[in-house]
Amino acid sequence: MSHRAAQTWAVVLLSIGLALIPAAFAESVVRRSSTGEPQTLDPQLWTYGQDGNLAQDLFQGLTTLDSRANVVPGQAESWTVSTDGRRYTFRLRPNLEWSDGKALTSADFLWSLRRIFDPKTVSPAVALLYVIRNGKAVNQGRLPVTALGVAAPDPRTLVIELEHPAPYLLDLLVHRAFPVPRHVVEKYGRQWTRPEHIVSNGAFVFGEWRPGSHVRLLRNPRFHEAASVRLDAIHHVPIEDPKNAVVRYRAGELDVVVTLPSDQIDDIRRQFGAQLRLVTQLGLEYLAFNTRRGATADTRVRRALSMAIDRELIVVRITRAGEPPAYCVVPQGVLNYPTRGCADFEKMEPTQRLAAARGLLAAAGYGPSRPLTLRFRVNNSDTQRKIALAVSSMWQPLGVKVELIGSEMKAHQQALAQGDFDVARGAWYGEDRDALSFLRLLDGRAPALNISGFDNAEYKALLDQADNSADLAERAAFLQKAEALAMREQPIAPIHVYVSRRLVSPRVSGWVDNPRGLHLNRYLAVR
C-alpha cells in the first residue's frame, strides 16, 4: 500500500471512529412530563405532585419504594418494632454520604425530623407525622423540638417513638421524612436549595432548572446504590396542557407522559397500543367548597351543589378512561378499611337528587329572585375545564350562576392556599394505603392539605379516637364514622377515583404499573 493510500485509509478510519463516539458515549436520559413548574426543591416543604416527584429523585428517607411501589429499606438497612407497636428502631446503612461527600448519620435524621416539626419551618404536611410522640405539641410551639420522640443513640441508629400504633408509618416515612443537610441549611437558610448550594442524598443530584423548559437531574455517584442506577440524567418537563404533551411525545421529545387528554384516549390507544398505560389508582379528583366564608359556608348549599353533579356522566363523556365515580372521600383499595362512609344520596335517582337540591337551596335562601353566584377556580387543563363546564351546566337548573376562573397551576395553587374561591378543583393521591391519608384532607389541623378549610370538632375527635385505638376493627369504625360525617357536611364533592394515564415509550425499560402510580426514576433505563 502506498504512503498516500495509507494516509487516506487512516483519515477514513479516524472519521468512522469519531462518528461512533457519540453513539458509544451517548448520555442515557429519560424525559418525562411534569404537571407544572416546581414550587420548591426543599423535600420538607412540598405539597404538590411535581415537587414530590423531584423530592423522590433528589432525596431518600429511611424507607423507600421498590419498582412496584412496595415499601423497602432506604437509607435504613433494617428496623425492628416493639411489641406494642409504638417504638421503631432503625439501623442505617454503613458509610452513607451526602452528595458533597460529607458523612450522613442518624444525627442528620434527628435534626431533619426536628426541623420538620419546628413551627418556624412551616412544613405543610407535618400533621401527617403527628403520630410521632410529642409531634403535635412541638409543632404548635408548646414543647421544644428536643422533646420530639426521636433519638440517635449512635451514628447508625435512629429511634422513633409514637403516640399510638401506626401501621402506616413505614409508608409515610417514604414521602414525608426526607433528611436535609444541616451543614448546608444552617449556612444558607432558605437559600439552601439554590442551584449553587443544594446538596442531596438520593439517586440523583440537581443539574439545572430552566423555567418553561425542564429541570435536569444527574446521577448521584455517592448514592449508596449508585451502581444500580442506569440513567445518567432525568429531565422533568413542565407541561400543563396534556394535548401539548402528546404532541411532544409523538415528535419524540418526551419518553414518558403522565397526564393525557380525555378526548384523545381512544385515538391514543389506536395509535400507541401498549404504550398507553391505564391503571386505577389510590387517588381522588374532587371539588372543594370554601367552608370559611360566603354561600358555601352553608352546609345546605354544599350538599345541594354536590347532589346536582352527575358523576357517571362525567366519567363516561369526559374522562373516558374507566374512572370509578366517587361518592366517598376514601377510594377503594386502602388497607384495613372494609366499610366506607359514603354520601347518603349515592343511590338516589338524578331527578330525586335535583329536586332535593332545589329544596336545600331554597331553604338556604336562594332561588329565582336571589340566584346563587359562585367563583369556580380550575387549573388550565383541557380535561379540568371540561369537567368545570359540565358541572356548571349541571348547576344551571338550580339557577346557579358560575364565574369560571382558569389559571396556570402555580397561580391556581396559590389561590387555593389563600382561600380565594367559592369552588375549586382539588386532587389527592394517598400518601400511603391507609384511609387516614385521605381523611386528613378535611382535618382542621392540617391547613395546607385542607383546601376547603373544614374544621369540625366531632370530625377531629373521631380521627383522634381512631389514632388512639390499637384495634384495627375499632379504628376502622371510627374512621368510617368520620367519613360519613364529612359526606353529610360535603366540604368537598368527590368526583371520581383516578385512573393513571401514562404514555411510556418502548425505549424505556423498568416501568412497572402499580395502583399507587408511583414510579421512581432510579429503576428506569433506556434501550
Side-chain angles (χ1 to χ4, degrees):
M1 182 182 293
S2 69
H3 179 65
R4 181 178 297 276
Q7 284 183 321
T8 300
W9 276 107
V11 170
V12 170
L13 291 173
L14 179 60
S15 300
I16 293 172
L18 290 173
L20 291 175
I21 286 175
F25 295 94
E27 189 178 46
S28 176
V29 182
V30 164
R31 304 152 300 171
R32 60 184 295 169
S33 70
S34 175
T35 54
E37 290 283 358
Q39 295 197 37
T40 181
L41 294 178
D42 189 323
Q44 297 183 348
L45 299 183
W46 74 272
T47 298
Y48 301 103
Q50 67 266 31
D51 300 332
N53 289 334
L54 288 169
Q56 289 288 359
D57 279 342
L58 291 168
F59 297 88
Q60 187 180 76
L62 295 165
T63 56
T64 188
L65 300 176
D66 66 13
S67 62
R68 297 181 180 275
N70 298 312
V71 176
V72 294
Q75 297 281 285
E77 64 180 9
S78 63
W79 53 80
T80 58
V81 185
S82 62
T83 54
D84 64 359
R86 297 185 180 217
R87 182 185 179 95
Y88 285 68
T89 302
F90 295 88
R91 182 67 171 169
L92 299 190
R93 298 178 187 274
N95 305 315
L96 292 173
E97 290 183 317
W98 291 103
S99 58
D100 63 356
K102 185 175 177 62
L104 191 161
T105 70
S106 60
D108 292 289
F109 277 95
L110 173 63
W111 187 85
S112 297
L113 282 165
R114 288 175 174 175
R115 178 180 184 260
I116 292 172
F117 282 90
D118 190 329
K120 295 192 295 292
T121 302
V122 195
S123 181
V126 63
L128 295 172
L129 292 168
Y130 277 178
V131 64
I132 297 178
R133 186 170 59 80
N134 294 332
K136 181 178 177 181
V138 169
N139 186 237
Q140 294 179 346
R142 294 185 282 112
L143 287 176
V145 294
T146 53
L148 188 67
V150 184
D154 65 62
R156 288 185 58 197
T157 303
L158 188 81
V159 180
I160 299 179
E161 297 184 355
L162 307 182
E163 295 280 356
H164 52 78
Y168 52 87
L169 178 72
L170 296 174
D171 214 337
L172 194 57
L173 293 178
V174 170
H175 312 282
R176 295 299 179 180
F178 292 112
V180 293
R182 179 178 185 177
H183 61 290
V184 180
V185 177
E186 289 187 335
K187 183 175 181 179
Y188 297 108
R190 290 281 182 173
Q191 303 298 311
W192 80 271
T193 57
R194 290 180 62 86
E196 63 269 27
H197 303 319
I198 187 168
V199 169
S200 60
N201 75 319
F204 298 89
V205 296
F206 185 82
E208 65 176 355
W209 180 355
R210 294 185 181 181
S213 176
H214 65 267
V215 175
R216 175 177 167 84
L217 307 182
L218 306 173
R219 190 171 69 89
N220 178 9
R222 291 192 167 95
F223 181 55
H224 65 89
E225 289 186 301
S228 69
V229 179
R230 294 171 288 173
L231 295 178
D232 297 316
I234 284 285
H235 287 190
H236 291 262
V237 183
I239 305 175
E240 292 193 22
D241 184 351
K243 290 185 177 179
N244 185 26
V246 174
V247 169
R248 296 185 64 177
Y249 181 86
R250 191 175 283 120
E253 297 176 14
L254 292 171
D255 303 303
V256 176
V257 175
V258 298
T259 56
L260 301 173
S262 299
D263 59 356
Q264 294 184 14
I265 291 294
D266 293 338
D267 290 338
I268 290 170
R269 183 184 288 110
R270 282 191 293 269
Q271 180 176 2
F272 295 110
Q275 297 175 49
L276 173 63
R277 312 291 185 95
L278 301 177
V279 183
T280 304
Q281 304 285 276
L282 287 174
L284 182 69
E285 176 81 15
Y286 64 93
L287 298 182
F289 299 116
N290 193 331
T291 65
R292 304 177 187 89
R293 59 162 182 79
T296 51
D298 189 323
T299 302
R300 295 169 297 183
V301 172
R302 299 194 301 266
R303 281 183 59 83
L305 294 172
S306 184
M307 292 174 77
I309 299 172
D310 189 336
R311 282 106 169 138
E312 286 75 12
L313 185 65
I314 289 173
V315 300
V316 171
R317 298 283 183 84
I318 299 176
T319 58
R320 303 173 64 85
E323 291 86 354
Y327 293 88
C328 323
V329 180
V330 182
Q332 289 184 332
V334 300
L335 303 177
N336 305 310
Y337 193 60
T339 305
R340 296 182 296 164
C342 301
D344 53 8
F345 53 81
E346 178 182 7
K347 302 302 182 183
M348 291 173 63
E349 293 295 325
T351 53
Q352 292 177 297
R353 288 188 206 166
L354 200 58
R358 282 197 183 97
L360 287 169
L361 282 186
Y366 297 98
S369 61
R370 189 193 175 206
L372 175 61
T373 301
L374 300 172
R375 298 171 69 248
F376 189 162
R377 284 196 175 272
V378 64
N379 58 290
N380 285 337
S381 157
D382 185 60
T383 298
Q384 303 312 324
R385 285 194 297 271
K386 287 182 178 179
I387 291 176
L389 288 170
V391 170
S392 299
S393 69
M394 293 168 187
W395 289 341
Q396 284 180 356
L398 301 178
V400 178
K401 298 180 179 179
V402 174
E403 177 191 358
L404 193 59
I405 304 171
S407 58
E408 299 302 308
M409 181 63 80
K410 185 172 183 178
H412 177 71
Q413 292 166 344
Q414 289 174 342
L416 300 194
Q418 295 165 1
D420 183 17
F421 65 93
D422 296 312
V423 187
R425 183 253 172 163
W428 184 252
Y429 278 94
E431 294 284 326
D432 48 65
R433 296 190 67 179
D434 190 89
L436 196 58
S437 179
F438 288 89
L439 296 176
R440 288 289 186 210
L441 291 174
L442 301 173
D443 189 342
R445 298 158 296 194
L449 305 178
N450 185 0
I451 297 171
S452 70
F454 184 65
D455 195 7
N456 181 286
E458 183 183 355
Y459 183 85
K460 290 186 290 189
L462 286 166
L463 296 190
D464 289 342
Q465 287 175 295
D467 277 341
N468 291 319
S469 176
D471 182 273
L472 289 178
E474 182 184 59
R475 179 177 184 270
F478 286 129
L479 294 177
Q480 189 270 341
K481 288 180 181 178
E483 184 179 23
L485 185 157
M487 288 296 89
R488 289 194 300 273
E489 295 286 325
Q490 288 290 308
I492 66 172
I495 302 298
H496 64 76
V497 175
Y498 280 126
V499 167
S500 66
R501 305 138 173 256
R502 313 283 198 248
L503 273 173
V504 182
S505 169
R507 71 186 292 266
V508 175
S509 62
W511 185 279
V512 181
D513 293 327
N514 63 77
R516 299 183 66 177
L518 299 175
H519 306 273
L520 272 59
N521 292 313
R522 59 172 288 203
Y523 300 119
L524 302 183
V526 290
R527 297 183 176 90

